[in-house]
Amino acid sequence: MNYENILTSIDNNITTITINRPTKLNALNKATIEELHHAFAAVAKDKQTKVIILTGIGEKAFVAGADIAEFANFSVEEGVQLAASGQEKLFNFVERLKVPVIAAVNGFALGGGLELAMACHIRVASDNAKMGLPEVSLGVIPGYGGTQRLPQLIGKGRAMEMIMTAGMVTAEEAYRTGLVNHVVAQADLMEFCTGIAQKMMKNSPMAIGMAINAVNANFKEGENGFDTEIKSFGKCFGTNDFKEGTTAFLEKRKAVFSGE
């Protein structure tokens, strides 16, 4: 499929999805959210892809927020639908993917941009990146999961401060609080993310998918993460990857996983 707002490429089982709206600092609008949903859904079904890296075009912004002009005149009902639709199509969708997603945060990640990075499984920031949730300065709150995921990552107190001051944090501050996993020079960002992806690809895709689901379960209302872990652990015993992994270990060779 040809996209207007994103670019996709695959190399050595790593698919890179790049948000490509440089004149808008890669801001998210409805069309971009739709394209991202389609791209993630397609890549998740592609057995060639073992890891996804998500980034923004250029050196200024990962995603500098939502396209405010699109919703400035929305009604209450339209606002509810905007948040519900966006969360389901993109943010929750990315979080639930069984293929690991690494956010390569290459600049500003503000509002919906930070929310998108937080929906990814791992975040790596370039040293020039700045992150924040400025929504309250516009008379609204984060609507794409920001009030939920930010406290999970950095704690309630710090999240409250970031949200209520509408302030930005540097990449180093984000690293110190656990918002990002690593900070690297911008020139090294994609290579560093590729290195993490290559480490992941040595392991069982099936087990990685189950691990993502089990970790997420701890944060779902009404779901017991320990129960999910136990059931998922048991399911692993019936998979080809488990048989291959344990056999390879006993035979003192590298495992070759099929993802099944």
Side-chain angles (χ1 to χ4, degrees):
M1 178 177 175
N2 292 323
Y3 298 111
E4 291 186 7
N5 301 304
I6 66 173
L7 304 170
T8 63
S9 63
I10 184 169
D11 183 38
N12 293 325
N13 301 113
I14 302 170
T15 290
T16 301
I17 300 176
T18 305
I19 300 165
N20 185 31
R21 300 186 76 210
T23 61
K24 299 289 186 179
L25 292 179
N26 302 325
L28 292 177
N29 59 2
K30 285 184 180 179
T32 305
I33 287 175
E34 288 284 351
E35 289 188 7
L36 284 168
H37 170 79
H38 185 279
F40 276 110
V43 171
K45 295 176 184 176
D46 175 21
K47 292 187 177 180
Q48 294 300 311
T49 297
K50 306 300 183 187
V51 181
I52 301 168
I53 298 175
L54 175 66
T55 194
I57 200 76
E59 298 183 352
K60 291 183 178 180
F62 174 71
V63 173
D67 201 331
I68 296 168
E70 271 196 343
F71 59 79
N73 297 312
F74 271 19
S75 66
V76 171
E77 292 77 13
E78 288 172 319
V80 169
Q81 180 57 32
L82 178 72
S85 175
Q87 286 195 29
E88 187 59 28
K89 286 182 178 178
L90 183 57
F91 300 84
N92 294 347
F93 190 83
V94 168
E95 184 177 65
R96 293 193 297 253
L97 281 179
K98 293 183 178 180
V99 180
V101 183
I102 301 170
V105 183
N106 57 306
F108 288 109
L110 305 176
L114 180 55
E115 289 172 303
L116 181 55
M118 291 191 294
C120 298
H121 305 121
I122 291 175
R123 285 152 296 284
V124 180
S126 58
D127 52 12
N128 68 311
K130 291 186 177 180
M131 286 152 267
L133 295 175
E135 285 86 347
V136 297
S137 69
L138 301 172
V140 70
I141 71 169
Y144 288 144
T147 64
Q148 306 304 299
R149 292 190 179 96
L150 187 60
Q152 292 171 6
L153 289 167
I154 70 172
K156 183 179 177 181
R158 287 193 178 103
M160 285 284 198
E161 182 177 353
M162 276 187 68
I163 291 167
M164 290 191 286
T165 62
M168 290 188 291
V169 298
T170 64
E172 287 298 334
E173 289 174 304
Y175 174 74
R176 180 173 54 81
T177 60
L179 182 52
V180 300
N181 297 59
H182 306 277
V183 177
V184 298
Q186 185 163 65
D188 301 328
L189 180 62
M190 295 307 292
E191 183 180 355
F192 189 90
C193 290
T194 299
I196 295 175
Q198 289 170 339
K199 291 178 181 179
M200 292 177 177
M201 290 191 297
K202 295 177 182 179
N203 304 311
S204 160
M206 179 281 307
I208 286 174
M210 287 197 181
I212 290 170
N213 183 61
V215 171
N216 285 340
N218 187 51
F219 298 100
K220 292 179 183 176
E221 186 70 28
E223 188 165 347
N224 186 310
F226 289 100
D227 287 345
T228 300
E229 180 185 276
I230 290 166
K231 291 173 184 175
S232 298
F233 178 78
K235 287 179 182 177
C236 291
F237 284 72
T239 67
N240 290 332
D241 274 7
F242 174 76
K243 294 174 184 175
E244 168 61 13
T246 52
T247 300
F249 177 82
L250 294 171
E251 294 177 353
K252 297 182 180 179
R253 62 175 174 79
K254 289 184 179 181
V256 181
F257 294 112
S258 65
E260 299 175 349

